[in-house]
Amino acid sequence: MPESTILHPLPPDLDAQRLPAHVAVIMDGNGRWAQERGLPRILGHQRGVETLKNLLRYCRDWGIGALTAYAFSTENWGRPRVEVEFLMALFEAVLRRELAEMIAEQVRIRFVGDLQSLPATLQGEIQRAMLATQDHDGIQFTVATNYGGRQEIVRACREIAVRVQSGELAPDAIDEELFARHLYTAESGDPDLLIRTSGEMRVSNFLLWQIAYTEIYVTETLWPDFGPEEFHRALLNYQERQRRFGRLRSSS
Ligand code: IPE
Ligand code: IPE
Ligand code: MG
């Protein structure tokens, strides 16, 4: 039986009513995972893809509606050229290889970030995957590629400025809701839980606007080792939190 058809039941100690609707992940530590084993960094990225595939499946099986993964930041261009080129080729190969299965599983895949600066062949695969899955009603899977939170905010400002300049929009009409509609996440909304692997206590330019009230979970585990037990632990930890949104009591 193919792995994709096995349905993993929700662990009984998790409350199905209080799961995060949207989980975001900063998939960090691939390079260290490989280096610890005396392997080239790129093998860590390859293993990282398997981790992400598995996590997507667990999210789906456990009833989490949206998963957003940080695959490549606007700052990651500053890495050695061979690593950047390997990553671009990897994204393309994975998309080509996995699309049929994602279609079969009703996954709705979206890419966010400055996609125009990606290699043309990768852009082609991205468009093909987004078009082929746009009407799906399964899990919403968003991949942030050449994504930067500051770039996203500046881009939104530009779009809004153009509307104001044309007379279509009055400056007074700009509020948080309108602003959020100009972000890449207009459809998926803000994450409830942000997980970062490999122990780094920073957000590295990810979803700056959207994480205003997101619960943050950092684990020392390196991304290629972030399996279902780790995810389970993160969700248990999330369910112990009281989300107050600035008020005195938790609203959930
Ligand atoms: C995250 O792993 C993947 C990307 C940023 C593309 P890293 O490549 O950052 O791994 P470390 O942090 O160097 O171990
Ligand atoms: C964040 O990881 C970006 C991605 C996971 C794609 P980095 O490894 O690039 O972040 P820093 O350099 O530790 O802040
Ligand atoms: Mg890193």
Side-chain angles (χ1 to χ4, degrees):
M1 184 155 58
E3 163 74 11
S4 61
T5 53
I6 303 168
L7 205 95
H8 308 95
L10 184 71
D13 52 356
L14 283 172
D15 178 352
Q17 307 308 314
R18 293 181 57 244
L19 285 170
H22 180 180
V23 173
V25 280
I26 300 178
M27 310 184 285
D28 197 19
N30 291 347
R32 276 164 280 176
W33 182 90
Q35 274 157 347
E36 277 179 5
R37 289 162 176 76
L39 301 168
R41 292 176 54 86
I42 55 173
L43 287 185
H45 297 313
Q46 255 167 2
R47 280 295 287 258
V49 169
E50 299 310 310
T51 303
L52 181 59
K53 262 176 66 179
N54 219 12
L55 178 66
L56 178 66
R57 215 154 262 151
Y58 275 88
C59 282
R60 180 201 63 181
D61 292 352
W62 291 353
I64 290 164
L67 174 67
T68 299
Y70 202 8
F72 193 87
S73 76
T74 47
E75 287 73 32
N76 287 149
W77 295 108
R79 294 188 178 201
R81 218 180 86 186
V82 277
E83 180 165 343
V84 171
E85 282 175 1
F86 176 86
L87 283 167
M88 295 300 151
L90 179 68
F91 298 153
E92 199 179 316
V94 169
L95 257 183
R96 204 172 291 137
R97 194 180 70 212
E98 302 295 331
L99 183 60
E101 203 169 323
M102 287 197 285
I103 291 174
E105 293 182 29
Q106 282 291 305
V107 174
R108 185 161 158 238
I109 186 164
R110 287 184 63 239
F111 281 76
V112 295
D114 177 10
L115 304 180
Q116 254 114 55
S117 314
L118 298 173
T121 46
L122 174 56
Q123 285 186 49
E125 289 301 326
I126 288 176
Q127 289 314 325
R128 201 163 74 94
M130 293 207 291
L131 257 171
T133 66
Q134 64 184 356
D135 299 324
H136 287 176
D137 56 9
I139 185 166
Q140 175 155 334
F141 178 39
T142 305
V143 186
T145 313
N146 193 19
Y147 173 89
R150 288 182 171 177
Q151 181 269 339
E152 178 185 35
I153 290 169
V154 169
R155 175 182 167 275
C157 290
R158 279 211 195 113
E159 279 185 11
I160 294 168
V162 168
R163 292 180 62 192
V164 170
Q165 194 179 34
S166 73
E168 177 207 332
L169 190 71
D172 282 352
I174 303 170
D175 57 13
E176 291 182 15
E177 201 191 314
L178 180 132
F179 197 86
R181 270 191 263 128
H182 283 270
L183 297 174
Y184 295 127
T185 45
E187 288 166 63
S188 54
D190 300 341
D192 301 293
L193 172 64
L194 170 66
I195 297 171
R196 181 166 188 151
T197 54
S198 89
E200 243 55 85
M201 294 288 184
R202 53 178 174 256
V203 289
S204 301
N205 205 9
F206 192 39
L207 303 176
L208 296 182
W209 170 281
Q210 295 88 340
I211 59 172
Y213 271 102
T214 298
E215 296 297 326
I216 298 178
Y217 178 86
V218 177
T219 169
E220 292 290 330
T221 302
L222 304 174
W223 177 252
D225 289 328
F226 188 83
E229 305 78 25
E230 275 279 343
F231 186 42
H232 179 190
R233 210 167 303 147
L235 293 173
L236 276 175
N237 183 285
Y238 171 83
Q239 294 199 329
E240 281 163 14
R241 313 250 185 121
Q242 253 203 16
R243 300 187 74 187
R244 286 190 290 274
F245 300 96
R247 295 183 290 264
L248 295 184
R249 264 194 310 265
S250 171
S251 57
S252 66

